């Protein structure tokens, strides 16, 4: 088997002590621009560019050209003196990674990690029907030209105030796209998400628009709604097709007048909120069935983003699977699994009804179960037929790793806190329900929350009180 070819431009550095220690073939060029005009003996596995401050603009131009000429070959930039804006520019141009350490040993580690993540590159070459522009957009990975068309659409509309409707099956990454639109919008407010399917119909107005003290039984204080929390920012309404009719009317009024009135209040407040909605159902059909307001549908359907399911973009299956298994193995401190060709063929033949989320769940289970032998197509069939039920062993691994590796500097503080808080809340409520043999009223009283709130959280976390009955 041939060693992977790495094409590098290292600004007169001697890579002998670093890159040449790797099991790869190095082709060294004196300048990054020469990479664009050199003929290679075979497709490179990786481009490595060393850049210094005066060359940042030229380096960005080289990255853009390489991503166009070699869309399936990663570009790694070694930029020890780069500032934050420059690093972001490199990633936006299509760089796979940017190494900021001065030591060449850190560069070698990054190269090794990148090569390890390319186990599926030959198969990705086979599956790519056309050249794509890159692999990463914000936190999303894709080699699909259709997906990159969506990414470009989101980039164009992000700075505007236009309402965006994201349509796609469950697990395709609709919220990730919504967050990308917000991050690129330049809006100074927060991104606030509301799942219309998980909020009880009788509470959705108060959750969205807030309420005044005494507006209803239990309203012992005034509360700001999610819309006001998202003021100057973006409100993401997930599963908008499940919004009850009364809330649809209030949302339509808000979109028309840019004003809201909390439940129980006579005072209206002006708001500046960008709405991004998502649904896994066809809203136009819901309109015809009388389940969704036609006037609200047209207000929401200004910019439509149709996310294709994973089964329609096979070039992404290997890319995402390789990414998930490598990242999760590192996350849990375990060795990544080994696969046979029959296993990889089965990955591609499967329909993936749960889309990217299902693929990530399967990858996590593979890593945590740590098979000692190479996995085959038969192993894949067993895995997908068990519905990926979580075992006590995998839950223990996940709990330990959540505390060890939960911090992601690339996300906001709230985005880092949310999954940890949710896990604590889920475990706490389950422990309390077990303590009280599944009795909801007693559990809610001791937890210091209302019975209605407990029932809503049990629904949100999929907790069945019958499991705790004696």
């Amino acid at each position: 088997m041939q060693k992977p070819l790495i094409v590098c431009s290292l600004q007169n550095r001697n890579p002998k002590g670093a890159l040449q220690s790797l099991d790869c073939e190095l082709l060294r060029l004196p300048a990054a621009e020469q990479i664009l005009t050199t003929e290679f003996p075979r497709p490179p596995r990786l481009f490595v560019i060393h850049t210094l401050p005066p060359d940042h603009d030229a380096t960005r131009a080289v990255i853009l050209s390489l991503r166009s000429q070699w869309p399936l070959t990663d570009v790694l930039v070694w930029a020890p003196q780069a500032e934050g804006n420059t690093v972001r520019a490199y990633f936006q141009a299509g760089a796979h990674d940017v190494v900021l350490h001065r030591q060449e040993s850190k560069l070698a580690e990054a190269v090794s990690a990148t090569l390890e993540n390319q186990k599926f590159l030959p198969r990705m070459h086979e599956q790519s029907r056309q050249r794509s522009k890159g692999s990463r957009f914000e936190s999303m990975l894709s080699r699909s030209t259709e997906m990159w068309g969506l990414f470009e659409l989101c980039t164009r509309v992000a700075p505007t105030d236009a309402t965006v409707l994201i349509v796609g099956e469950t697990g395709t990454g609709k919220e990730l796209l919504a967050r990308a639109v917000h991050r690129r919008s330049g809006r100074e407010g927060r991104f606030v998400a509301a799942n219309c399917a998980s909020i009880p119909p009788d509470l959705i107005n108060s959750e969205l628009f807030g309420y005044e003290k005494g507006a209803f039984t239990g309203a012992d204080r005034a509360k700001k709604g999610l819309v006001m929390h998202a003021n100057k920012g973006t409100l993401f309404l997930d599963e908008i097709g499940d919004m009850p009719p009364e809330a649809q009317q209030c949302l339509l009024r808000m979109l028309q007048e840019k004003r809201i009135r909390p439940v129980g209040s006579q005072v209206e407040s002006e708001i500046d909120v960008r709405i991004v909605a998502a649904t896994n159902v066809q809203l136009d059909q819901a309109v015809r069935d009388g389940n969704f307001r036609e006037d609200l549908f047209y207000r929401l359907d200004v910019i439509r983003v149709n996310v294709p399911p994973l089964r329609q973009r096979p070039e992404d299956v290997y890319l995402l699977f390789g990414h998930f298994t490598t990242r999760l193995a590192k996350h849990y401190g375990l060795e990544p699994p080994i696969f046979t060709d029959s296993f990889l063929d089965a990955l591609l033949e499967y329909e993936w009804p749960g889309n990217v989320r299902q693929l990530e769940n399967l990858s996590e289970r593979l890593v945590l179960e740590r098979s000692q032998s190479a996995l085959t197509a038969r192993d894949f069939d067993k895995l997908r037929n068990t519905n990926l039920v979580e075992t006590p062993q995998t839950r223990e691994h996940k709990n330990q790793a959540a505390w060890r590796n939960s911090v992601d500097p690339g996300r906001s503080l709230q985005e880092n806190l949310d999954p940890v808080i949710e896990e604590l809340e889920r475990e706490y409520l389950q422990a309390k329900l077990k303590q009280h043999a599944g009795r909801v009223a007693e559990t809610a009283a001791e937890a210091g929350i209302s019975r209605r709130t407990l029932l809503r959280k049990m629904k949100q976390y999929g907790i069945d009180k019958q499991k705790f009955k004696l």
Side-chain angles (χ1 to χ4, degrees):
M1 179 182 293
Q2 288 182 317
K3 294 181 178 181
L5 174 62
I6 299 179
V7 179
C8 55
S9 168
L10 295 178
Q11 296 277 0
N12 298 320
R13 292 266 187 159
N14 180 8
K16 186 173 182 179
L19 298 187
Q20 287 190 344
S21 63
L22 303 175
D23 187 23
C24 58
E25 178 183 341
L26 287 178
L27 176 59
R28 183 175 177 181
L29 300 173
E33 290 79 3
Q34 289 184 259
I35 299 177
L36 303 175
T37 58
T38 301
E39 292 188 8
F40 308 117
R42 61 182 185 278
R45 287 279 294 276
L46 180 64
F47 296 112
V48 179
I49 302 174
H50 180 209
T51 182
L52 298 173
D55 303 324
H56 286 327
D57 289 340
T59 299
R60 182 178 180 278
V62 171
I63 297 171
L64 287 168
S65 297
L66 288 175
R67 301 308 296 134
S68 176
Q69 293 183 26
W70 299 89
L72 293 179
T73 303
D74 290 317
V75 179
L76 191 150
V77 182
W78 187 23
Q81 300 179 35
E83 298 180 350
N85 290 337
T86 302
V87 173
R88 283 192 291 273
Y90 289 158
F91 278 117
Q92 289 172 357
H96 172 76
D97 199 2
V98 179
V99 180
L100 300 177
H101 296 278
R102 295 180 181 275
Q103 296 92 344
E104 291 187 12
S105 60
K106 297 295 184 182
L107 172 65
E109 290 176 8
V111 170
S112 180
T114 303
L115 293 177
E116 178 66 21
N117 199 30
Q118 292 179 344
K119 291 179 179 179
F120 309 102
L121 190 61
R123 286 175 174 264
M124 284 160 52
H125 275 287
E126 294 172 6
Q127 292 302 322
S128 290
R129 297 162 291 186
Q130 305 176 50
R131 289 196 168 200
S132 63
K133 295 189 176 182
S135 63
R136 183 180 292 276
F137 175 78
E138 298 281 342
S139 59
M140 290 164 284
L141 292 175
S142 181
R143 299 285 192 187
S144 163
T145 53
E146 188 172 359
M147 286 297 293
W148 273 91
L150 296 184
F151 298 157
E152 290 177 354
L153 173 62
C154 290
T155 300
R156 289 197 305 272
V157 304
T160 73
D161 292 329
T163 303
V164 178
L165 178 62
I166 305 175
V167 182
E169 296 179 5
T170 299
T172 50
K174 297 187 291 295
E175 183 169 346
L176 294 178
L177 278 172
R179 290 183 181 275
V181 170
H182 172 69
R183 280 193 291 267
R184 291 169 179 252
S185 68
R187 299 182 70 86
E188 62 186 45
R190 290 183 288 178
F191 177 92
V192 177
N195 189 314
C196 300
S198 65
I199 304 175
D202 57 336
L203 294 180
I204 193 164
N205 275 345
S206 58
E207 287 292 318
L208 289 179
F209 307 114
Y211 55 81
E212 292 296 317
K213 181 179 179 180
F216 49 82
T217 303
D220 54 356
R221 58 182 176 83
K223 177 184 175 181
K224 285 170 49 174
L226 297 177
V227 173
M228 192 57 71
H229 280 293
N231 200 27
K232 304 295 184 182
T234 302
L235 178 64
F236 174 59
L237 297 174
D238 198 10
E239 306 302 346
I240 188 72
D242 293 322
M243 178 175 279
E246 182 182 353
Q248 291 180 32
Q249 182 177 356
C250 293
L251 178 61
L252 175 64
R253 184 172 178 274
M254 183 194 83
L255 290 172
Q256 290 172 334
E257 302 181 11
K258 306 297 182 184
R259 303 174 71 88
I260 63 168
R261 185 171 59 195
V263 176
S265 174
Q266 301 299 319
V267 180
E268 292 188 336
S269 301
E270 291 187 1
I271 49 98
D272 173 19
V273 175
R274 204 279 183 72
I275 298 294
V276 178
T279 179
N280 60 6
V281 300
Q282 295 297 326
L283 286 187
D284 45 1
Q285 182 61 49
V287 169
R288 288 192 289 271
D289 293 341
N291 297 324
F292 201 83
R293 292 180 65 106
E294 184 176 16
D295 44 6
L296 177 58
F297 169 64
Y298 290 125
R299 280 280 182 177
L300 295 173
D301 194 29
V302 178
I303 302 295
R304 185 184 294 202
V305 178
N306 290 302
V307 188
L310 186 58
R311 61 183 174 274
Q312 293 180 8
R313 39 191 175 105
E315 59 267 63
D316 282 349
V317 173
Y318 291 138
L319 173 69
L320 292 168
F321 183 65
H323 169 72
F324 289 145
T325 52
T326 302
R327 176 176 61 80
L328 291 165
K330 182 178 180 180
H331 179 76
Y332 292 118
L334 302 172
E335 289 296 319
I338 303 171
F339 316 103
T340 64
D341 285 342
S342 68
F343 184 95
L344 297 177
D345 289 339
L347 277 181
L348 202 62
E349 293 169 1
Y350 186 52
E351 289 291 311
W352 297 108
N355 293 291
V356 178
R357 186 179 300 143
Q358 182 187 10
L359 178 60
E360 184 175 14
N361 290 343
L362 180 136
S363 303
E364 187 169 28
R365 180 167 182 176
L366 285 176
V367 169
L368 292 174
E369 291 194 344
R370 291 186 292 180
S371 173
Q372 299 301 313
S373 58
L375 297 167
T376 65
R378 180 172 295 180
D379 295 313
F380 177 80
D381 290 338
K382 290 179 181 178
L383 282 167
R384 67 182 180 85
N385 288 332
T386 56
N387 293 322
L388 306 180
V389 175
E390 189 173 64
T391 65
Q393 180 185 17
T394 61
R395 170 59 68 88
E396 179 63 23
H397 274 297
K398 290 172 70 174
N399 287 343
Q400 292 176 3
W403 291 104
R404 190 171 60 245
N405 300 308
S406 60
V407 176
D408 180 0
R411 307 176 72 185
S412 70
L413 174 62
Q414 192 60 48
E415 288 173 329
N416 276 290
L417 288 175
D418 283 346
V420 178
I421 292 173
E422 288 181 2
E423 184 62 26
L424 279 172
E425 190 172 53
R426 179 188 291 107
E427 295 293 337
Y428 173 82
L429 295 178
Q430 288 178 330
K432 281 296 180 185
L433 283 164
K434 182 178 180 180
Q435 182 180 346
H436 293 284
R439 292 187 290 273
V440 173
E442 294 179 17
T443 301
E446 187 161 330
I449 58 178
S450 68
R451 183 176 182 275
R452 177 179 291 178
T453 298
L454 176 58
L455 290 172
R456 175 169 58 84
K457 289 183 178 295
M458 288 170 62
K459 181 179 179 182
Q460 177 184 345
Y461 296 134
I463 300 174
D464 183 4
K465 65 179 181 182
Q466 299 299 326
K467 291 170 55 178
F468 306 98
K469 296 287 186 182
L470 296 178

